[in-house]
Amino acid sequence: MSGEVINEVNNLQVTEKTKDDVDDDFVDPWNVVSKSEKGIDYDKLITKFGSSKIDKELLDRFEKVTGKRVHHFLRRGIVFSHRDLHSILTLHESGKPFYLYTGRGPSSNSMHVGHLVPFIFCKWLQDIFNVPLVIQLTDDEKFLWKDLKMEEVHKMTMENAKDIIAVGFDPEKTFMFSDLNYIGQCPEFYQNMVRIQRCVTFNQVKGIFGFDDSSVIGKVAFPAVQATPALSTSFPHIFKGKKVPCLIPCAIDQDPYFRMTRDVAPRIGFKKPALLHSTFFPALQGAQTKMSASDPNSTIYLSDTPKQVKNKINKHAFSGGQSTVEEHRQLGGNCDIDIAYQYLTFFLEDDDKLEQIRKDYTSGALLTGELKKILVDILTPIVMQHQERRAKVTDDVIKQFMTPRELAFNI
């Protein structure tokens, strides 16, 4: 076994180990818990999961290979960790093909601004590399994990599809699919899914995902469903049966699925998928709290009005400032825990402006109310422009993206 393989196999059961470590952050595909006001310690998470930190050397190579400046998500460490990104850059350098795969589990009728992050990044990657993208809508997962009727899940899937399409993906290079629809239409997808299922034992999925004897069998079987799009032959209309390498941009909590996938892929004749991991988007109430669909004030939804955006930020965004103006002028604010500043790191693209805001807030020259106003002025147009694009997404447009078909892609 190579060192990398040993590292990944040793880390397959990281979820089970971290549950018992009460002093550490806990991250799995369904739970994110941190005891720090700053949120998750991502350096520790890299060590636990056995991934690699994105360093300056890798960013320099990225810019050299693509001829483009790296996205501000990469520059600022929002996309902070990877598996085998060097191999993808080598493929691009050599003129060889690869494709992108990401997904979304529809759990509400409207996505929130944090849900935009992986799709904004995927669109940038698609444009930079000029490669196809497959987007999996895991409506089956939501049906299994949440107390929802099939009709409710279907409605959420279609509404989320509109939000995703409104990001601006190229329909000539993008295929989006619902698990509940596509798997029944495509024998090749189901065949790959079963190949993966035969390679993973119940004990392994218990260790990786924390399932127990009371878990419904649909949950136990689901990880193979999320793994299957990483195998290109699952999309015969796009790749014509050829084995094409895959790059998966995702939030770090999804990594357990793909550690499993990377363990299985070579055993069934495929290359391991490469990964890019992003940090978590914090709730308005702070990085220690979790965004909840039952609490509409925990985040900014893409359906919110300008008034709602302003009120949520002003009333609910956790402040890193001092309790009085006098104290703040004297002591300054803490950008590490201030949610308005944290949101700006995601949505304010200008590095110089962001750095000036950081300096001014830290010194006390910029007050909390002024910082929140900057965020309102940045975020409101983003949400309004998204709503304008979304209003143009008709049922026919959704059908175009979700119909199995050839894409503009030369293998």
Side-chain angles (χ1 to χ4, degrees):
M1 270 187 166
S2 69
E4 180 195 13
V5 172
I6 292 171
N7 196 25
E8 288 194 23
V9 171
N10 286 343
N11 279 286
L12 276 174
Q13 298 198 10
V14 69
T15 299
E16 190 172 59
K17 292 176 184 175
T18 54
K19 277 183 178 178
D20 299 324
D21 193 346
V22 295
D23 295 325
D24 279 353
D25 300 327
F26 175 62
V27 175
D28 72 7
W30 307 280
N31 303 282
V32 178
V33 178
S34 174
K35 297 183 181 300
S36 169
E37 284 185 322
K38 296 181 182 180
I40 298 296
D41 185 328
Y42 291 103
D43 287 333
K44 282 187 177 180
L45 204 56
I46 285 173
T47 301
K48 283 181 182 177
F49 281 11
S51 60
S52 300
K53 188 169 185 175
I54 295 176
D55 56 19
K56 185 178 184 302
E57 181 184 353
L58 183 55
L59 294 181
D60 288 344
R61 187 180 177 215
F62 198 110
E63 291 189 343
K64 182 180 178 182
V65 168
T66 63
K68 303 287 185 181
R69 191 183 188 200
V70 294
H71 197 279
H72 69 276
F73 289 172
L74 286 163
R75 299 197 302 271
R76 297 173 188 170
I78 291 169
V79 177
F80 71 101
S81 165
H82 76 101
R83 297 184 189 274
D84 286 344
L85 182 58
H86 278 293
S87 68
I88 295 295
L89 295 177
T90 299
L91 286 171
H92 184 69
E93 215 169 16
S94 307
K96 294 179 180 177
F98 69 93
Y99 71 102
L100 299 168
Y101 154 43
T102 196
R104 162 80 185 134
S107 56
S108 60
N109 286 327
S110 173
M111 288 165 43
H112 59 64
V113 289
H115 292 143
L116 278 182
V117 171
F119 294 107
I120 290 171
F121 189 58
C122 273
K123 183 184 183 306
W124 181 80
L125 290 171
Q126 184 183 57
D127 293 343
I128 288 292
F129 289 113
N130 190 28
V131 292
L133 164 67
V134 297
I135 301 172
Q136 181 184 40
L137 299 174
T138 55
D139 39 13
D140 51 344
E141 176 197 20
K142 294 307 172 186
F143 181 78
L144 290 165
W145 262 266
K146 293 181 176 288
D147 185 21
L148 296 169
K149 295 179 181 178
M150 194 69 74
E151 296 77 17
E152 292 175 303
V153 173
H154 177 74
K155 183 174 185 284
M156 288 177 183
T157 300
M158 293 301 104
E159 294 301 318
N160 281 202
K162 292 178 183 177
D163 276 327
I164 294 167
I165 292 168
V167 173
F169 292 107
D170 183 352
E172 296 296 319
K173 298 187 181 72
T174 308
F175 173 56
M176 181 165 25
F177 65 98
S178 144
D179 283 346
L180 290 173
N181 291 335
Y182 181 66
I183 295 173
Q185 298 174 3
C186 184
E188 291 86 349
F189 191 101
Y190 184 69
Q191 289 163 16
N192 279 340
M193 196 171 82
V194 173
R195 288 185 180 103
I196 294 168
Q197 288 173 339
R198 192 168 69 174
C199 290
V200 185
T201 68
F202 180 47
N203 277 338
Q204 284 176 311
V205 293
K206 281 201 298 183
I208 300 167
F209 300 101
F211 299 140
D212 56 34
D213 291 346
S214 65
S215 299
V216 299
I217 59 174
K219 290 183 179 181
V220 176
F222 175 75
V225 182
Q226 187 156 321
T228 301
L231 309 182
S232 60
T233 55
S234 304
F235 308 100
H237 52 283
I238 303 173
F239 301 110
K240 314 301 181 189
K242 294 189 177 180
K243 294 180 179 179
V244 179
C246 178
L247 171 62
I248 308 170
C250 63
I252 188 68
D253 61 332
Q254 298 301 299
D255 188 69
Y257 286 111
F258 302 117
R259 290 200 299 278
M260 183 197 79
T261 309
R262 284 169 58 86
D263 179 58
V264 170
R267 294 155 59 190
I268 56 177
F270 289 85
K271 289 186 176 180
K272 295 181 179 183
L275 280 93
L276 281 166
H277 300 125
S278 61
T279 59
F280 302 115
F281 192 79
L284 282 169
Q285 286 78 5
Q288 281 182 297
T289 64
K290 191 175 187 299
M291 283 179 278
S292 170
S294 61
D295 181 6
N297 293 319
S298 65
T299 189
I300 307 293
Y301 283 93
L302 295 172
S303 56
D304 283 347
T305 65
K307 183 178 180 181
Q308 287 174 315
V309 173
K310 181 179 179 180
N311 287 344
K312 284 183 177 183
I313 292 170
N314 286 334
K315 292 181 180 179
H316 301 288
F318 184 80
S319 169
Q322 304 301 327
S323 56
T324 67
V325 171
E326 291 74 18
E327 287 182 3
H328 187 85
R329 294 292 192 200
Q330 181 183 358
L331 301 173
N334 184 351
C335 288
D336 289 339
I337 64 173
D338 191 283
I339 290 300
Y341 179 80
Q342 293 302 316
Y343 278 27
L344 285 174
T345 65
F346 285 87
F347 294 109
L348 176 57
E349 295 185 23
D350 189 313
D351 290 341
D352 293 334
K353 285 184 180 178
L354 184 68
E355 175 60 15
Q356 190 60 53
I357 290 167
R358 187 195 67 78
K359 287 180 178 178
D360 290 346
Y361 193 62
T362 302
S363 71
L366 186 70
L367 299 175
T368 295
E370 294 169 333
L371 177 59
K372 288 185 174 183
K373 184 180 185 305
I374 293 172
L375 177 60
V376 170
D377 291 343
I378 292 290
L379 204 52
T380 303
I382 291 173
V383 173
M384 294 305 102
Q385 290 163 17
H386 181 88
Q387 290 176 12
E388 290 175 11
R389 293 191 300 269
R390 190 186 192 278
K392 298 175 183 176
V393 179
T394 64
D395 290 344
D396 285 341
V397 172
I398 296 175
K399 184 178 179 181
Q400 180 185 11
F401 274 88
M402 300 187 80
T403 298
R405 66 202 187 282
E406 291 186 14
L407 299 182
F409 177 59
N410 295 320
I411 301 177

